[in-house]
Amino acid sequence: MAFKMHEFSDLESCNKALVEAVTLSIEQILSAKQNVNLAFSGGKSPVLFLEMLSKKDCAWDKCNVSLVDERIVDLNHEDSNARLIKMHFLKNLAQKAHFSPFFEDCKLSLEDLVENANKIYNQPDIAILGMGGDGHTASLFPEADEFDFALTTQKSIVLTTPKNAPYKRLSMSLSALEKCNKLFLSIATKEKQLVFNEAAKGLNPKFPISYILHSEKVMCDVYFSK
């Protein structure tokens, strides 16, 4: 298995430990290169983590921040992951970080959105993942028509169309995720733990996160709170 578990009794302790681990990884990477590339996930789950991270003393001016995935909506839309990052992370001490969304104009054609996102893509050194109740991570949804392509392509950013969630998405592919130096996965609740446990048993197309947990190319540190 390509993951290491870190279990905590409550969400705040879990996020505090994750903040410490991420900033330590940033420091380690900056000891070998001038800048570090970070990719954050969106949704509601990472809000507390992002708020806590924004207050952490770190060399944020040397950090280039991007996204693991994004809904194809206006950047001011309440469901935009870029908006989430701006609201909950790019403030306090972290306002010095440099943020690049996947796109500025969501009204471009889908082909142009994907092409442009791949052109501006900088491979993250560190990515912080979440997991949905269906076992998806990033925007790699098991029922999406593009799922097999997202698992096999060498392109970094792919289009995905989930059937059980709103909006078309842009997402890092499995290949791009596996090229990260450091992967973190943050999950909470007993319901998600049950899904995680199933995914941990072996590669399973029903649970996209299983491809990370059993990767032969990257190790994932899993931070779980009950």
Side-chain angles (χ1 to χ4, degrees), residues 110-127:
L110 295 176
E111 292 78 8
D112 284 343
L113 286 170
V114 174
E115 182 179 355
N116 292 345
N118 276 289
K119 283 181 179 178
I120 66 171
Y121 178 80
N122 285 317
Q123 174 61 44
D125 300 293
I126 302 168

Side-chain angles (χ1 to χ4, degrees), residues 91-103:
K91 60 182 183 178
N92 301 320
L93 297 177
Q95 62 184 299
K96 295 180 181 180
H98 310 285
F99 177 58
S100 298
F102 282 160
F103 54 81

Side-chain angles (χ1 to χ4, degrees), residues 66-181:
S66 62
L67 297 166
V68 169
D69 61 333
E70 177 62 289
R71 300 171 177 90
I72 300 179
V73 296
D74 186 90
L75 296 187
N76 293 317
H77 192 285
E78 64 179 2
D79 291 329
S80 165
N81 287 341
R83 179 176 180 269
L84 178 96
I85 298 301
K86 291 175 182 178
M87 286 183 62
H88 298 288
F89 174 69
L90 294 174
K91 60 182 183 178
N92 301 320
L93 297 177
Q95 62 184 299
K96 295 180 181 180
H98 310 285
F99 177 58
S100 298
F102 282 160
F103 54 81
E104 296 289 346
D105 183 4
C106 69
K107 296 180 182 178
L108 296 174
S109 70
L110 295 176
E111 292 78 8
D112 284 343
L113 286 170
V114 174
E115 182 179 355
N116 292 345
N118 276 289
K119 283 181 179 178
I120 66 171
Y121 178 80
N122 285 317
Q123 174 61 44
D125 300 293
I126 302 168
I128 298 92
L129 303 175
M131 186 195 77
D134 60 353
H136 84 267
T137 192
S139 278
L140 307 181
F141 288 85
E143 81 284 354
D145 292 336
E146 306 90 348
F147 181 56
D148 287 342
F149 178 76
L151 293 183
T152 57
T153 184
Q154 291 303 304
K155 286 185 177 294
S156 300
I157 303 297
V158 297
L159 175 74
T160 67
T161 311
K163 291 184 170 64
N164 298 318
Y167 313 115
K168 291 180 179 291
R169 321 281 183 102
L170 295 182
S171 176
M172 288 176 65
S173 64
L174 177 62
S175 172
L177 291 171
E178 289 185 317
K179 289 175 183 174
C180 295
N181 292 340

